[in-house]
Every structure is written in structure tokens, then in C-alpha cells.
Amino acid sequence: AALASLRARRGPAGLLLAGGIGAAAAALAVSPRADEGAGWAATVVTLRGLGALAVLGGLVLLARTSLLAKVVAGILAGVLAASAAALGVVGTVVVASYQEQSNLLVEQSADERAGNLVRLASEARVFVPFAESGCVPRPQDCPRLLRAFTANQRTGDFVVRITDAGAAVSAGGRRPLTPSERLGLAQDPLVRSVLTGTGRFNEPATGLARLVGAPPALAMLAVKPNVVQNPTAVTVYGIRLDDDYTANDVDLSENLDVGVSLLVDGEVVASNLPQRQRLLVGRVADEAAVADGLDEDGLTVPATATRPTVRFSPVLGPADVPLGVLAVSRNAAAALAAQRKALQALLVSALIATALVGGLALYLGRRTVEPVRRLTAAAARVSAGDLQASADVRTSDEVGVLSRTFDTMTGSLLQLTDDLRGSAARLQTVLTSMSDGLIATDGDGAVTSINPAALAMVGLSAQEQATGRPLAEVVDVRDGSGPLELTGRLPDAVAEVHPAHGGEPVPVRVALAPLEGGDGVVLVLRDTSREREVERMKTEFLSNVSHELRTPLTPIRGYAEILVAKPGLDADKVTTFATTIRDESIKMNRVVDLLVDVAAIEAGRVTVTPRPITVKELVDARLDAWRSRAPQRAKDLKKRVAAGLPPVLVDPHWVGKALDELVDNAVKYTPPGTAITFVATQVGDGVRVAVKDAGPGIAEADQRLLFTSFEQVDGSATRRVGGLGLGLSFVRRLAEDAGFPLTVTSTVGKGSEFALDLPISEEPVPRRASPARRRPAPARGRSR
């Protein structure tokens, strides 16, 4: 009833427990029998074992499902432990007693079999004279003579005459020897002793011998010297100890399920047992290592489960030479039947006591654990997310105190959960927002967390692609000597991160440190691409500035030294030299002006003061200035300004500088005779002012470098066009600061167009425009 109640509340555990008890009861109702063999015994033992395991599993499951089950299972386990102890003590005595009796019966039977071998030797001694006179002269009469002499109809008898040279010259019998057996028998110690003279004129010598063959066999020999016919030969009469012999070796112990087997070199070579029982005897012999030798007292192996009781006795030849082993066995079912019945009675009594105690435990346990059930239900609601759940147990015992403590804990837990969620959110925000890459691992070296910056560096798109994998598989960090070993501590190192799926390596500063407690490491990767770019720009800047300043300084210094050294030069040469010095100094001044303007923009010191101005005025001013600055290209400078364009709201000084740089770029990269045109049209809500040339154009792959500081399409030291690489970068920064879109359109072989989209002024141009904040620079050549 108690078990049924538990089953109703906890289905799987109760069903398993009830099923286990049922299986054990079914197993107790039957027992192995000798005639059913090892398979039936194994089935019964397995069924009992499964029943015991099911009972144990049911108790374990019950103990894990509820406190009531723990109380009941604990009491039942105690009762089972006590029952097991009692069964162990009583069962040990019973098993030892019955086992001793079974061993004694088998040993007595083994002694009887040893006596049979003695009687067999006597029979052989009596028959060998008849074999000498009847079988040796006429081998064809041997079978009839053997049948007349032996009443038990053995089929393994043989007769052979052996000379002193070791040759078997004649043979007969119901199972004659094979050639290998005859040769082996000629070297048998018993045969050799008779041939060499020992006992030649005495009675026939008898003893056991091993017959060589596959498999080998044992035989009882009687050897008689052939004194009359051939003094140098002997007659050997033998009885094979094979399956036929063991099958006919019958005595009063056959009702005890006794089997007889003969073993040679640990293998069963003769037995009256079925094949299954014969294999069991061989297995017991292997485990007992009887092939390694036995004492003359022999060895008895008790029965276990389905394995029989076996008595092993040595089979000795002349001079006590071991030839094999005699194994007398008793079926396990017969050997263990009495002790199994006694143990069944003990086990049934223990199960009945356990069931009664279990019912009482269930009754008392329910009254004890009901408050705990209510507390458990409240805890389940808390685990589901209801942190306001209350146990509401009002008793004054320990459970009541636990209930009140639980209610207080849930309140604290609610506050703590809110705080932890906030902290986790802030920490996640910090990690996500970090510009440096951060990767953390566990104690096994597997990645546990990685932030977006690190994902971008290693070439992965999602955190799931990195977590759980070894650190060395996720990030490939190399320095000049090869991959870095990401173990231990690495304070700061210069290296490169190679993305997983190819791409440009990312220059980084690497820092590696173990986590506190040694449960992993944290790897920090700081992207130094900007620092490298700045370093490159600085190098380019110094190289370009030194080149751009040295180029005009060389003629300035040369012509100045000529003027100083030769004061009497004619006026035309002096004018030429002075003009060159002036033009080159203007180039140097333009380089310095460009550097000052770029520095002002980078420092944020540029103040843009927009005012309304007509597009024609803006374009004409730049066109006149460049015709004066580059008179050799005056015919190439053109304009195409659409009629009726509205005024634009810009700072003419800075927009003029931007247009100058675009014109300067076109002048440098187009040969004389190539048109350079100012184009002005209205586009959408603005006016597009562009500088268009018909020069060689720019390849699409090179256009991305146009607006990068200190970058030129041809950056070689032997380039045809000089410059700092700052002109178009200066235009880009001016356009960005003023909010003007800057576009470039270029086709190789057809020219390029750089355009600024200027905003339309909502106010008209005043009749008298206020003077410019800064006077335009005088006309001069410019090198970039």
C-alpha cells in the first residue's frame, strides 16, 4: 500500500521500485537446475540482479524527488542494509557449509576416478601377453581379440610392436596409432626403459603416456619385452583416455551430476560432458592456471553462479612426470541448489520486513514533511522568476524559522537581482563600446568572451564564431619572428593581427595577462593603424617638405652667388637671375602658405565668414588670378558659367583657396594646350562649381588616395610632378568644415572633374560688397 501511494505521486520512481520488487519475486520463484545448463542459470541470476538494481534505482529516484521520499528511502535503505548484513553473516555460514559438502563429494568422485586408472592399468597388464601372441603376428585379428577381452567395449585400444631402434614395425587394434603417434610413443620413457633393459625379464610395465598429435591425447600403456621372438623389441598395448573412455567411466556418483574431463596443456582433450559444460570446465582451468602445474594434492575450485565445482588432480607418468590433468566437475545448479534455497528464504523474509517498515515510514514521513512541501513550492515559484513568493509556514519549529528566513531572503534577492542586472548591462555596454579589442579565455584556453572591436580585427562577424574555440584558432597574432605564444604574461608587444579569412593585417599593441586565480587569460589588442598612418605621414611630410624647399633654394642660392661673385654682369642677365630668384621664392612662399593653412585647419583656427557673392564674380576672380600667375597656360584657362545662376553664400577667401588648389592640380597634371575649364551650373538646391580638364584622367583604383594627406598617385622619388600631397587633402578638409559636398569624376584618357556644391544665398548681393577679411595673395606659381 505504501509503495502504491508513492507510485501514484511519483510515477517513474514508484513504477521502477514496484517493477524491481516484482522482478526479484519472479526470480525467487525459480532456481537453476542442473539439466538446464549455464544459460538458464545465467538467466535466473540476471533476473535477480536486475530486480535488485531496479529496487536500488527506485530508491535513488525516490530520494531525489521529494523529502518524503528521502525519509522513506532512508529508512528502507537502513532496513535493507541491516537485512544485507544479516544475509551476509547467515548466508556466509550457509554457503560455506554447503560449499564444503559439495567440494567433498567432488573430491571423493575424483579419488574414485584415480582408482579407475589403477584398475585400468591392471587390465592392461593382464591383456598384453594376449596382444603379444595374437595381435602382433596377426594384426587383422586384433579387433576381434580386443572385443573378446574387454567387456566395456572401449574403441580406443591399440597394439604396437616397437624395436630398440625406435621403429613401430606393426600395429593393430580398434583405433590404430597414426604415424606421428607411433613415432612419439617409441620415445616414451616407459617404452624406452623396457627396451634398454630395465625390467626386460620381469612382468609387463604399466603407466600413463602422452600421445603426440593434434590435439594430443593420454593413454594407459602396458609394455612387455618380446623375449622369445625378438629380444630387441617390445609389445605395447594401450587404452586411449578419450571421450569414449570418459563416457564409459561410470560409477555410483553419476546421480550427483559429476563429469570427468582430461586436460593436456590446459585444453580439454577428453570429457563425458556436453560442449557447453566442457567449455565451462576449460574456462575454470584457465582461471586456475592448472596448465602451469599442480601440487600432488590437486586443487578444488568451488562453484560460482553457473560455473561448476571442479577438482583438478595431476596425471603423472613414469618418474612422476606431469602428463595432464584429471578434472572431475559437478554441475553448478546441483552444487548450489541447497544454498540457493536457503538464501531465497532469507531474502523473502528480508523483503517482507522491508515492505512493512516502508509502509510505516511513509505514514510518519508525510506528517513530517508537509511544511517542507509548502516551502519547496514557494522556492519553485522563486526559481520561475516570482521573487515575491512567500512560503507562509507559521509553525514554531525549525521549518517555521526556515520559512521566515526564506521570505526575508526573497526580498533581498529581488533587490540584488536588480542591482546585478544593472551592473551586467553597464559592463556589457563598456565592453561593446571599447575601441580596443578584448578577448578572455577559461582555464582550458577556450574563448569565453570577445568584444566587437576584437571580432573586427580577427575577421569574424559574430561572437558565436569565436566562443568555445581555442584562443590560438581565433586570433593569429604575429611579430617579426613569427606567431606569438599567447600564454603566460605579455606586458606590451608590437605585432600584427592576421584576419581569419585573409585581408590586410591589422597593426596592434598586444597585452596579455592571466586572470586572477589562474582560470584563463585576458588579451587586449589596441589598433595602432592610426599611429602607423601618422608615422607614415610624418615621414612623407618631412621628405616632401625637404624636397619642395630644396628645389627652389638651389637656383636661388646659385644665382645669388653669381650676382655676388660677378657684380659687373650686364643688366639682362641680372634681370633674368633676379626674376628666377623671385619666382622660386614665390614657390617657397606658396609651400609655406599651404603648410600654414593646413595647420590652421587641423588646429581648428579657421573662421569661415560666408557672404552672398555671384558665381561669375567668384569664377572670374580665380580665372584672372591664374592667367596672371601662369601666363604660359592663359590660353588653356576657360570658363563655362550658366546664365541666371543665383548668388551663393560662401567665404570667397577660403572657397577661392580651394578652387586655386583644384586649378593648380589640373595645371600640373595636364600638358600645355590642354583645356582647363571652370564650369558652373545649378544642381538641385545648390550651385556646382567645378574645375574640369581634358588630361590623362585618374584610374578608379587610385581615386581613393586623392584626398589623403601626403599621398600622390605617383609617389615615387622620380615622379615628374612635385608637391607635398596636401592640396586635395586641404580642399577636402575645407569642404568638410564648410559642409560643401566634394565630388570627383574621372575617366582614364578623357580627363577629370573636381566639383564643389555651394549653397544658394537667400539674400541678394549688396551693391557694395564689404572688403574681404584677408587680401588675396599675389599671383605666384604653386608646387604641391
Side-chain angles (χ1 to χ4, degrees), residues 13 32 69 109 140 176 208 255 352 367 377 423 427 451 453 486 524 532-533 558 575 584 611 678 740 743 757 761:
S109 180
Q140 65 275 11
L208 291 170
N255 296 327
I352 293 174
R367 298 179 60 87
S423 299
L427 179 60
N451 69 344
L486 299 179
V524 179
R532 284 202 180 183
E533 180 65 17
T575 301
E584 296 300 326
R611 64 180 177 85
F678 283 94
F740 303 156
T743 58
D757 291 345
S761 174

Side-chain angles (χ1 to χ4, degrees), residues 677-694:
T677 307
F678 283 94
V679 180
T681 57
Q682 185 169 354
V683 179
D685 296 334
V687 175
R688 175 169 292 177
V689 178
V691 176
K692 183 176 182 180
D693 65 66

Side-chain angles (χ1 to χ4, degrees), residues 587-626:
K587 290 181 181 179
M588 290 180 61
N589 191 57
R590 292 193 65 231
V591 171
V592 173
D593 283 348
L594 181 59
L595 292 175
V596 170
D597 290 340
V598 170
I601 290 177
E602 293 292 339
R605 297 195 301 269
V606 173
T607 302
V608 179
T609 306
R611 64 180 177 85
I613 184 174
T614 63
V615 177
K616 182 177 182 303
E617 180 182 356
L618 182 64
V619 172
D620 287 346
R622 296 299 96 211
L623 191 60
D624 293 342
W626 272 96

Side-chain angles (χ1 to χ4, degrees), residues 136-137 159-163 167-172 226 229-230 233-236:
V136 172
V159 178
V160 63
R161 185 162 64 89
I162 299 175
T163 66
V169 298
S170 63
N226 196 344
Q229 297 181 2
N230 189 354
V234 294
T235 300
V236 179

Side-chain angles (χ1 to χ4, degrees), residues 441-531:
T441 71
D442 57 16
D444 296 329
V447 174
T448 56
S449 60
I450 181 170
N451 69 344
L455 283 173
M457 291 182 191
V458 302
L460 299 177
S461 58
Q463 188 171 6
E464 292 76 12
Q465 295 176 325
T467 53
R469 295 171 56 193
L471 179 61
E473 294 183 6
V474 174
V475 56
D476 182 8
V477 185
R478 307 178 190 176
D479 60 5
S481 59
L484 285 179
E485 187 71 23
L486 299 179
T487 56
R489 183 180 294 275
L490 187 65
D492 190 20
V494 177
E496 290 182 341
V497 174
H498 291 252
H501 303 293
E504 291 295 327
V506 181
V508 293
R509 303 285 293 191
V510 182
L512 181 72
L515 294 173
E516 185 176 356
D519 294 332
V521 297
V522 60
L523 176 67
V524 179
L525 304 171
R526 182 167 63 85
D527 190 347
T528 58
S529 300
R530 178 61 179 169
E531 287 82 347

Side-chain angles (χ1 to χ4, degrees), residues 43 72 105 116 306 335 344 402 418 589 625 657 702:
T43 302
V72 175
L105 290 173
N116 289 345
T306 61
Q344 282 179 354
L402 178 62
D418 292 340
N589 191 57
K657 280 180 173 291
D702 296 329

Side-chain angles (χ1 to χ4, degrees), residues 654-744:
W654 292 107
V655 172
K657 280 180 173 291
L659 293 174
D660 284 345
E661 292 301 328
L662 296 179
V663 174
D664 181 67
N665 186 70
V667 169
K668 287 194 301 182
Y669 287 97
T670 58
T674 303
I676 301 173
T677 307
F678 283 94
V679 180
T681 57
Q682 185 169 354
V683 179
D685 296 334
V687 175
R688 175 169 292 177
V689 178
V691 176
K692 183 176 182 180
D693 65 66
I698 305 168
E700 185 176 356
D702 296 329
Q703 292 181 17
R704 61 185 180 87
L705 301 175
L706 290 176
F707 301 105
T708 303
S709 298
F710 307 109
E711 285 283 359
Q712 292 180 315
V713 173
D714 181 9
S716 64
T718 58
R719 60 183 182 269
R720 180 178 62 83
V721 178
L724 295 174
L726 286 175
L728 293 180
S729 174
F730 170 74
V731 175
R732 175 183 62 79
R733 288 300 306 273
L734 278 177
E736 289 177 353
D737 290 348
F740 303 156
L742 171 63
T743 58
V744 57

